[in-house]
Amino acid sequence: MHLLSRRRLLGGAGVTAAALGLHAAGFSSGRAWANPRFDGDPFRLGVASGDPAADGFVLWTRLAPDPLALDGLGGMPAESAQVEWQVAHDESFGRVAAQGAARAVPELAHSVHVEVAGLSPGRDYFYRFRTTGSEAVISPVGRARTAPARRGRSGEVSFAFASCQCWYEGFYTAYRHMAGEDLDFVVHLGDYLYEYGVGATAGVRGMRLDASFQHETYTLTDYRNRHALTRLDADLQAAHQAFCWILTWDDHEVENNWAADVAQLDSDGFPDSDPAAFRQRKAAAFQAYYEHLPLRLPQRPSGSSVRMYRRLPFGNVLDLHVLDSRSYRDDQVCGDGTKPGCDAERSDPARSVLGAEQERWLLDGTARSAARWNVLANQTLIAQVDQDPDPDVLSSGLDMWDGYTTARDRLLRGLYDSGANNPVVLTGDIHRSVVADLKLDFDDPASPVVATEFAGTSISSGQDGAATDQVGRNWLAAGVNPHLKWHNAQRGYTRVTADDRRLRADYRVLPYVTRPGAPVSTAASFVVENDRPGAQPA
């Protein structure tokens, strides 16, 4: 294995303030591991980058030579370890742009988050990590692209978005195809992890795992090992190595359909219906989420509190508004699920999906944005969807924005009244692809279209899909949901390109995920023209 000399690794370019001791602050961790020696490759969970800015990004890795160790520590001792990092203009690291060292501490499962700044906008960089000591090991090489500068001539921004990657229900072949695309970044809309037990044979993966993987996740050790199991997938690692990722969570990173401090009431016997107990569970889930993903310091949790919503600019082309629709929402009405009725409860003006502070932040930010496109990274479907083909019955999904109709009205009215530039919503959660016009009044055909919603399917959740299914037929039945433009129930991801004139969404789908090696194709493409809300077939 090619190893860099310590002099070469640490010489040259300086270290930004954000990169120095990012995890050392607040962690004593006792003594450092003087001469690390690993029983296996410490970089088995790969490398990643995230949250690109015009001058940098965050780099991630976790030292874990035994990623599924039953104590959740990844085969590492209770000592901190020094990890050196390097960013270069070229893949052979002949032209180093930035480098330094970070401390991997046991309190954060020996994860490393380095915030690199001082780079040039709109260009590719390569990065890697290196352990110290006489038996130093170099990580795989990752590639990351900085965001374009806000000023200057606008170009094209290209990205993919994905969600819902239940590990035991399907292979991550979609990520292998995604890694081969030419993208600026990837947006993950949630359900990176599933809290359920993986089953006796790990579902379609055909593996036998320790009994600790057979029950729902509750403790920090549970969540750490479930994340590690997910991150061992080679296709997922390839997509992380290829692009910066921008992530937010939905429900399964903690528990199905959680809402603020309210747990799902039908959990399997764990006393998390008590808000204090559920906050402990959230704290464990949030910490493990941070430990395994390329998130910046503001997204590091403090117990069960963390601010995940944030805004990332990409030149003059788009502002990406990343939402958290779980941490501040009111509990689902009428016992959750999909059902008719509950009109008074659903329309209660006191109810919210985003919470008052995040809602103001979003509407103020979209109103002030000078970018051509305001793109919302959202979790659950905003569009009204009557899920019963009987025209006399309105059946609503109460975990979606249909369960919070006044909150939806406030959002769409706020975007419309402020004249926000070209709002486009990216949505995950539903394991199917949907294109929808978002209208001020979904029941009035003449009502203005405010925005376009592109809902993307799952990577693997739900196992093999189909181009159409009964749910899709119900949703697209004549006269039931006229604002829905298209539906598909296959697995995959969505590729988006945007410039001054238009935004285009290509739905990339796979015929199967229950076995590896599926090809990818484009099921449909839609465009939104500048200043013309609503999607049209490309």
Side-chain angles (χ1 to χ4, degrees), residues 323-406:
L323 306 184
D324 174 0
S325 64
R326 287 292 163 190
S327 296
Y328 314 101
R329 71 158 63 196
D330 290 287
D331 192 19
Q332 297 87 351
V333 296
C334 300
D336 203 351
T338 299
K339 58 190 66 170
C342 300
D343 293 344
E345 295 90 339
R346 293 190 303 119
S347 61
D348 183 346
R351 289 172 49 74
S352 179
V353 174
L354 302 177
E357 180 179 340
Q358 183 180 191
E359 192 173 298
R360 284 193 301 270
W361 167 87
L362 174 60
L363 291 176
D364 288 348
T366 54
R368 292 195 307 266
S369 173
R372 180 70 75 198
W373 304 92
N374 279 286
V375 178
L376 280 58
N378 167 65
Q379 286 73 61
T380 57
L381 199 66
I382 292 179
Q384 175 178 294
V385 176
D386 182 354
Q387 303 197 39
D388 193 313
D390 185 339
D392 296 324
V393 178
L394 172 62
S395 182
S396 303
L398 301 177
D399 184 58
M400 303 191 296
W401 285 73
D402 268 342
Y404 305 78
T405 56
T406 303

Side-chain angles (χ1 to χ4, degrees), residues 483-503:
H483 50 281
L484 300 187
K485 300 292 190 72
W486 182 73
H487 171 278
N488 180 285
Q490 293 172 295
R491 308 292 161 242
Y493 58 93
T494 309
R495 182 181 62 207
V496 179
T497 53
D499 59 22
D500 274 348
R501 298 175 300 158
R502 63 177 61 89
L503 181 145

Side-chain angles (χ1 to χ4, degrees), residues 93-117:
F93 289 81
R95 298 173 56 217
V96 174
Q99 54 196 337
R103 191 177 175 196
V105 299
E107 292 93 336
L108 290 174
H110 294 95
S111 61
V112 176
H113 298 69
V114 176
E115 296 189 21
V116 183

